[in-house]
Amino acid sequence: MTDPAAAFPFRPLEFQRLEPAEMQARAQAFLQDIARRRSVRHFSSEPIPAGVLDACIEAAGTAPSGAHKQPWTFVVVTDPEHKKAIRIAAEEEETENYSGRMNEEWLRDLAPLGTTKDKPFLEIAPALIVAFRHAWQIAPDGSKQQCYYTQESIGLACGFLLAALHHAGLATLTHTPSPMAFLSRLLDRPDNEKPFLLIPVGFPSEDCEVPDLDRKPLDQIRLRSKPNN
Ligand code: IYR
């Protein structure tokens, strides 16, 4: 008799057990750091040191995914002509969005952010990372393979990516100039890859300002379940 599990070996978990005081210190340190991340719309054109984006994308690729399909591709755009083409196409979509596709409530909700159809940051930021979600995958033999929970999976990977980029000292924006089919065309991605998020990355401009927003306090976002009796 063959053991079916033998075909899929396990290996010991590498887990770092910490003292409670160290756990508290690290939890607080991470909170202090990530709380300083803001969506940035005013970048300088200063280039990003070599290797930093690759390490952050590798970190994104450690995210959990449905059936471990890793249904993602991250395209790094630094070429000025590519960035310009993306800006032109994004502004075409945003012109439609701001002049009718978004309703009045949506426009009112955006007012505090100060956004408009104009997206100069798409050309000024030194890099754009475009995250593509794999709706399905093609096996080496050419057959079509299912993927699972792809929205959740790519969302998690993008969360890891934003945290990694911030941790590495970079500013980011989560930008969705929808519909984003133009990104598939301009970046020549196959049919199974759907544009999910456009992330301008770089350093903030000297005079960069961000909206004066507050975050929900812990009491509003963390509830405790009550025992039934
Ligand atoms: N995509 C547009 C509009 C926009 C929509 C939401 I929801 C935002 O949180 C921010 C902007 C734009 O980028 O201007």
Side-chain angles (χ1 to χ4, degrees):
M1 278 265 288
T2 54
D3 175 5
F8 302 101
F10 274 50
R11 62 183 175 216
L13 173 67
E14 284 173 34
F15 184 85
Q16 194 187 3
R17 181 73 207 225
L18 304 173
E19 294 300 328
E22 170 80 357
M23 293 171 67
Q24 279 160 1
R26 288 173 64 138
Q28 286 301 327
F30 184 75
L31 168 60
Q32 297 307 318
D33 182 43
I34 202 71
R36 276 194 296 270
R37 199 204 78 86
R38 295 296 309 263
S39 288
V40 162
R41 293 182 172 82
H42 304 281
F43 288 86
S44 91
S45 57
E46 186 182 339
I48 298 165
V52 175
L53 292 188
D54 280 354
C56 293
I57 290 169
E58 209 171 335
T62 69
S65 62
H68 194 51
K69 292 286 182 177
Q70 306 170 82
W72 44 62
T73 306
F74 299 93
V75 180
V76 179
V77 183
T78 55
D79 174 64
E81 288 308 313
H82 264 146
K83 289 193 290 176
K84 185 176 185 172
I86 289 172
R87 176 186 177 177
I88 289 168
E91 287 182 340
E92 276 174 22
E93 295 299 349
E94 296 291 24
T95 300
E96 298 290 322
N97 291 335
Y98 281 88
S99 62
R101 283 206 292 236
M102 296 189 292
N103 65 16
E104 283 192 8
E105 180 177 352
W106 194 341
L107 293 170
R108 262 200 315 278
D109 282 341
L110 292 183
L113 306 184
T115 56
T116 70
K117 66 173 176 48
D118 300 317
K119 306 299 175 190
F121 53 77
L122 291 173
E123 274 189 272
I124 297 168
L128 310 174
I129 302 178
V130 186
F132 286 88
R133 173 182 68 89
H134 296 186
W136 69 89
Q137 288 175 343
I138 305 297
D141 70 359
S143 64
K144 202 167 157 174
Q145 292 183 333
Q146 296 186 121
C147 289
Y148 312 92
Y149 300 103
T150 59
Q151 300 281 359
E152 291 84 349
S153 301
I154 184 98
L156 287 162
C158 286
F160 278 35
L161 178 58
L162 293 172
L165 292 165
H166 173 74
H167 187 64
L170 290 165
T172 52
L173 176 66
T174 51
H175 184 38
T176 51
S178 305
M180 299 197 288
F182 67 88
L183 291 168
S184 303
R185 184 168 39 79
L186 293 175
L187 300 176
D188 200 23
R189 299 315 305 154
D191 281 353
N192 66 310
E193 296 191 13
K194 312 296 179 189
F196 180 76
L197 191 58
L198 172 48
I199 308 175
V201 189
F203 298 97
S205 65
E206 287 287 330
D207 58 355
C208 178
E209 291 190 332
V210 294
D212 188 12
L213 304 174
D214 294 320
R215 292 185 168 120
K216 290 182 183 177
L218 177 63
D219 282 357
Q220 280 180 31
I221 63 169
R222 186 267 287 117
L223 307 178
R224 295 187 196 276
S225 77
K226 294 190 188 67
N228 283 328
N229 46 40

